Amino acid sequence: MTATQGTQVGPVKKLNEPQKLLNKTNIFIFDCDGVIWRGDSVIEGVPETLDYLRALGKRLFFVTNNSTKSRAQYAKKFESLGLNAEPEEIFSSSFAAAAYLEQTKFKETGKKVYVIGEVGIEDELKLVDIPFIGGEADKGKTPNMKKGGFLEHDHDVGAVVVGFDRNINYYKIQFAQLCINENEGCEFIATNTDAVTHLTDAQEWAGNGSMVGAIKGCTGQEPTVVGKPSPLMIDYIVEKYDVSRDEVCMVGDRLDTDVLFGKNNGLASLLVLSGVTTEEKLMSPENKIQPDFYTETIAKFLDSKAELN
């Protein structure tokens, strides 16, 4: 990229000429929370921007670390917000967890999965016919912690998948640690390790990193992370759709997941300030993760439409 493509502020360029990025990009991968919407509110200018990019012939994918919904459920959310998106354009970390287990031939082990998480993970596991327990079924359960009490875990669990869970409880944590610590070869899988998330548009909420941290703390194990910045989802897109990485731009609001996902996987990266990252944080000397460009929201791409008119 040439120095004329943006205004240099320190080592990071502000996206002042979006047309130049559009000219070299055929595929845009968008994070959802903080980029497309906040909570259940669409960010201003997003519907028009997505329609404009499609009209230009750009291929769009939506990659989210939120595991609470399946791809089909996310498609319904897009529709409810007046946004056009097909299920095959959506890659959630719940799908990534199921895809990882399928790729590693987990089903052939004859084992089952223990789920800390919500219905999104369950639905994706059902689609690839992988047996599981836990999840929604363990909501509200409490272990017997009186004298002599113990929790009997399932010795046939070969993997524990930890996703965002608004109903996480001590029973789930204890069951998961028993499986990981006592079942030989049991794999610890995290959909993501995001510190915070956007449950509402009013404030940030503790993210899946808090759930994963609880399991790390009681097992001493590091998880296999299948969501961003793991390469699993971009590898899947590149292989399935036969695309070149140099024509792809990752657009997100997080430095440590979205931008790192782009940089680690040979993609251009655009940071938007409509989510968790502020311009102050981006420009801080402590920040070591720098996107190719940054801008306020993806509606900046509409500037090129105005220029053409």
Side-chain angles (χ1 to χ4, degrees):
M1 297 180 181
T2 65
T4 60
Q5 287 179 279
T7 300
Q8 190 79 29
V9 183
V12 188
K13 301 170 187 172
K14 192 161 188 180
L15 187 68
N16 291 332
E17 299 178 82
Q19 187 61 50
K20 292 186 177 181
L21 181 57
L22 287 172
N23 289 343
K24 70 179 292 292
T25 305
N26 292 320
I27 299 163
F28 285 94
I29 300 177
F30 293 101
D31 178 45
C32 295
D33 297 329
V35 178
I36 305 299
W37 57 63
R38 297 189 200 93
D40 290 320
S41 302
V42 177
I43 293 171
E44 185 176 358
V46 164
E48 299 86 346
T49 302
L50 297 182
D51 288 344
Y52 174 55
L53 293 175
R54 291 189 190 277
L56 292 176
K58 308 300 182 184
R59 175 173 273 174
L60 310 183
F61 292 104
F62 304 92
V63 177
T64 174
N65 268 355
N66 190 328
S67 64
T68 61
K69 295 180 175 65
S70 65
R71 287 167 295 168
Q73 289 172 310
Y74 268 110
K76 289 180 181 177
K77 178 167 183 174
F78 274 86
E79 183 180 3
S80 72
L81 294 175
L83 303 170
N84 298 316
E86 299 298 324
E88 58 268 23
E89 294 177 326
I90 301 167
F91 293 84
S92 63
S93 62
S94 53
F95 165 75
Y100 171 77
L101 289 166
E102 188 175 35
Q103 288 174 0
T104 56
K105 303 187 184 304
F106 178 82
K107 187 178 175 182
E108 295 179 9
T109 68
K111 300 288 187 177
K112 65 187 73 167
V113 173
Y114 183 70
V115 175
I116 291 180
E118 301 187 15
V119 69
I121 297 172
E122 297 181 11
D123 285 352
E124 293 292 352
L125 290 176
K126 288 175 185 175
L127 288 174
V128 293
D129 200 26
I130 290 177
F132 65 89
I133 58 174
E136 294 288 298
D138 286 352
K139 178 171 63 176
K141 288 186 178 180
T142 57
N144 175 14
M145 293 179 284
K146 295 179 181 179
K147 183 178 180 180
F150 70 98
L151 177 60
E152 183 67 46
H153 76 287
D154 192 323
H155 295 271
D156 287 331
V157 169
V160 173
V161 174
V162 181
F164 186 75
D165 191 336
R166 282 165 285 201
N167 297 297
I168 193 166
N169 55 43
Y170 191 65
Y171 179 97
K172 295 181 181 183
I173 294 171
Q174 173 66 355
F175 199 104
Q177 76 87 5
L178 288 171
C179 292
I180 294 170
N181 285 336
E182 298 188 11
N183 292 1
E184 184 177 356
C186 183
E187 186 169 9
F188 175 19
I189 300 167
T191 59
N192 68 86
T193 57
D194 292 358
V196 295
T197 189
H198 297 103
L199 291 180
T200 70
D201 59 0
Q203 64 180 183
E204 293 178 350
W205 298 77
N208 195 47
S210 61
M211 288 84 179
V212 174
I215 306 306
K216 286 173 61 175
C218 57
T219 64
Q221 301 295 314
E222 288 292 331
T224 297
V225 181
V226 295
K228 296 172 294 181
S230 163
L232 188 143
M233 287 193 275
I234 185 60
D235 289 347
Y236 183 92
I237 291 172
V238 167
E239 182 176 348
K240 182 175 177 64
Y241 296 97
D242 191 27
V243 299
S244 174
R245 294 170 191 259
D246 61 8
E247 59 180 325
V248 181
C249 180
M250 176 66 211
V251 184
D253 69 316
R254 296 175 185 267
L255 293 164
D256 59 348
T257 54
D258 301 320
V259 173
L260 194 59
F261 177 75
K263 296 180 76 67
N264 286 353
N265 292 288
L267 317 177
S269 58
L270 172 64
L271 178 80
V272 291
L273 304 178
S274 49
V276 301
T277 304
T278 63
E279 189 170 26
E280 181 181 10
K281 181 177 180 180
L282 172 64
M283 298 303 174
S284 168
E286 286 75 38
N287 172 41
K288 306 302 180 186
I289 304 171
Q290 296 169 342
D292 295 306
F293 296 101
Y294 79 99
T295 191
E296 282 72 23
T297 75
I298 66 168
K300 182 66 177 179
F301 286 119
L302 295 176
D303 287 2
S304 63
K305 181 179 181 181
E307 291 171 6
L308 293 175
N309 292 336

